[in-house]
């Protein structure tokens, strides 16, 4: 028999912010995004433009090292959504909990990612996840903690959800945020808490002494 021990998160450090009631719905993308991965931002920007046509009370924060940032800022300008997008720049582990607490939902279009720590940090912070349904992310998020967007399986090229899929997903997350937030936090505490992770590793190593 075997078992899966996922990446862990300090659920005491990464926790939901209490008492927030902001009329602006805030989405968050994080990561060290290199040129070959900038599809993770471009794809969301295009869908976000459509959201802002009907809803002015939304904002997208992009945090981390973004290699192609000038081209992305040019795209934001071209789409005429400057007032809805903020690039926060690099951040430290110490800053990370506050970055997540700024947001209402987390977005990742990363294709075939195996077990991204950022996703479980976001869940621990009570953020529902809008994600590309590939790699290990569906297993991390489960059925009730976010929305997966279908993409074709492929190991030779990157597949990205279509603009309409992302647009609909963003709207769904906004509608279901409260319930999904609770489920995300509960799932993170149950499956990914670092104390339980350390305890289980100790038990496993004791068996093989």
């Amino acid at each position: 028999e075997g078992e899966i021990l996922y990446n862990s998160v300090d659920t005491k450090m990464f926790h939901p912010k209490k008492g927030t009631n902001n009329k602006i719905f805030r989405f968050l993308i994080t990561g060290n995004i290199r040129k070959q991965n900038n599809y993770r931002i471009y794809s969301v920007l295009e869908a976000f433009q459509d959201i802002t046509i009907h809803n002015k009370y939304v904002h997208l924060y992009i945090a981390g090292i973004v290699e192609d940032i000038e081209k992305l800022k040019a795209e934001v300008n071209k789409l005429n959504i400057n007032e809805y997008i903020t690039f926060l720049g690099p951040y430290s582990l110490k800053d990370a909990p506050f970055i997540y607490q700024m947001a209402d939902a987390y977005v990742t279009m990363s294709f075939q990612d195996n077990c991204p720590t950022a996703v479980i940090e976001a869940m621990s912070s009570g953020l529902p996840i809008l994600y590309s349904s590939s790699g290990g992310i569906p297993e991390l998020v489960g059925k009730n903690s976010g929305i997966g967007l279908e993409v074709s399986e492929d190991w030779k090229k990157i597949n990205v959800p279509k603009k309409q899929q992302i647009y609909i997903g963003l709207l769904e997350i906004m509608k279901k945020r409260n319930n999904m937030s609770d489920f995300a936090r509960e799932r993170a505490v149950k499956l990914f808490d670092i104390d339980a992770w350390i305890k289980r590793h100790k038990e496993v190593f004791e068996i093989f002494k």
Side-chain angles (χ1 to χ4, degrees):
E1 282 191 27
E3 70 177 285
I4 296 171
L5 290 172
Y6 301 100
N7 287 355
S8 62
V9 63
D10 185 340
T11 59
K12 297 182 189 71
M13 180 178 177
F14 292 89
H15 60 84
K17 187 173 183 181
K18 303 238 187 302
T20 54
N21 188 17
N22 194 321
K23 67 179 181 179
I24 304 230
F25 195 100
R26 300 152 303 178
F27 293 94
L28 174 67
I29 297 173
T30 67
N32 293 331
I33 300 174
R34 302 193 179 281
K35 286 182 183 179
Q36 63 266 32
N37 295 327
N38 61 19
Y39 69 88
R40 292 176 53 191
I41 298 176
Y42 276 112
S43 58
V44 179
L45 291 178
E46 291 179 352
F48 210 77
Q49 182 193 38
D50 288 353
I51 295 282
T52 62
I53 292 168
H54 308 291
N55 187 340
K56 305 299 181 188
Y57 297 103
V58 291
H59 203 89
L60 173 63
Y61 291 96
I62 301 163
I65 298 169
V66 181
E67 197 172 79
D68 217 10
I69 192 164
E70 292 309 318
K71 284 189 178 178
L72 283 159
K73 284 182 176 178
E75 181 70 10
V76 168
N77 196 45
K78 179 182 163 189
L79 294 170
N80 197 28
I81 52 174
N82 303 64
E83 64 186 290
Y84 303 103
I85 311 294
T86 300
F87 289 90
L88 295 172
Y91 63 94
S92 66
L93 179 61
K94 182 182 173 185
D95 297 327
F98 304 104
I99 298 286
Y100 292 112
Q101 286 177 353
M102 287 174 59
D104 297 297
Y106 186 81
V107 180
T108 176
M109 293 298 115
S110 186
F111 184 62
Q112 298 290 33
D113 210 338
N114 49 10
C115 189
T117 300
V119 167
I120 62 176
E121 289 174 347
M123 290 172 65
S124 186
S125 304
L127 302 186
I129 314 296
L130 179 66
Y131 61 95
S132 163
S133 192
S134 62
I137 298 179
E139 189 174 345
L140 297 181
V141 178
K143 292 180 180 177
N144 301 311
S145 303
I147 295 172
L149 306 178
E150 293 299 322
V151 288
S152 300
E153 284 190 28
D154 206 312
W155 294 103
K156 293 182 179 177
K157 65 184 179 73
I158 291 169
N159 290 318
V160 185
K162 293 180 174 61
K163 181 174 85 165
Q164 186 67 7
Q165 287 177 280
I166 299 172
Y167 170 76
I168 292 169
L170 292 168
L171 291 178
E172 282 293 300
I173 286 275
M174 290 171 73
K175 285 181 194 171
K176 299 175 180 176
R177 188 256 170 185
N178 289 340
N179 284 343
M180 285 187 170
S181 173
D182 292 340
F183 278 116
R185 172 65 183 174
E186 287 169 16
R187 187 170 175 83
V189 170
K190 182 180 177 183
L191 293 182
F192 312 126
D193 181 73
I194 193 166
D195 291 338
W197 186 89
I198 291 169
K199 180 175 179 287
R200 186 59 187 139
H201 274 77
K202 283 180 178 175
E203 290 168 352
V204 170
F205 286 120
E206 281 295 321
I207 293 169
F208 292 103
K209 263 191 174 180

